[in-house]
Amino acid sequence: SAKRWAQLKATVKDAAKKSKAKDAKQAEKLELCIYSILILHTYPRLDVNVSTHRNHLLKSPFVAHPKTGNICVPILDIANCDKFDPDGVPNLKDLAEEINTSPVAEQKDDAMDVSETDKPNKKQKIEAYQRTSLKPYIDGFEKKFLKGLYKTIREGFKKISIENQEKAAMVGDW
């Protein structure tokens, strides 16, 4: 519950403050453990059969089902998740066909160069997935999940770095 989570965060924060006087590295580890707990409990869980049956990997994003070839994609519109069509997701066969029929399929690498409209002299790489029906799912996953996660982690590291710099300035330990 939200109350227990707030209590855990407060307890860890207090413990980190108390241990800063004794061991700065231990305090830093305590402050980062909240992120570890968060990832542990929000990351897709894999059951025991993952190690014996590959089809159990469908709990991970962008994994292909071994029989159908359908790709496990995130549901981007949570408000309308009941309208999600599992039969309408991209599959390996279609993705291969989309890549092979794209105008740059004959290039050796998985990316093509195109001129940007506002910067005609610069080239921008387009990854192979960007030419497929998988693009909106990957872009949505990055935008709705990864971007926020990265921001939170960066803010945590910045805060710890600033606190460490302040402590070093106080004691003259550069």
Side-chain angles (χ1 to χ4, degrees), residues 57-156:
L57 290 174
L58 286 178
K59 295 177 184 173
S60 298
F62 309 110
V63 174
H65 188 277
K67 291 180 184 173
T68 65
N70 288 347
I71 307 297
C72 180
V73 295
I75 298 174
L76 300 176
D77 187 8
I78 301 298
N80 296 313
C81 64
D82 55 335
K83 295 178 183 174
F84 180 75
D85 178 19
D87 294 325
V89 299
N91 66 38
L92 290 175
K93 181 182 168 218
D94 293 341
L95 292 174
E97 189 175 310
E98 290 170 2
I99 291 171
N100 290 335
T101 59
S102 69
V104 293
E106 66 275 355
Q107 281 192 348
K108 290 180 182 176
D109 61 353
D110 278 352
M112 68 176 186
D113 291 329
V114 286
S115 297
E116 294 178 19
T117 54
D118 56 340
K119 299 176 186 173
N121 294 332
K122 283 198 169 188
K123 301 275 185 179
Q124 177 186 14
K125 279 196 165 199
I126 305 269
E127 299 295 330
Y129 81 87
Q130 292 177 313
R131 302 185 313 256
T132 68
S133 55
L134 201 56
K135 182 184 182 334
Y137 296 104
I138 293 176
D139 290 347
F141 185 72
E142 287 177 347
K143 180 180 176 186
K144 292 184 178 188
F145 178 72
L146 293 178
K147 197 174 195 180
L149 180 64
Y150 292 149
K151 180 181 177 188
T152 303
I153 291 171
R154 273 193 309 272
E155 288 171 356

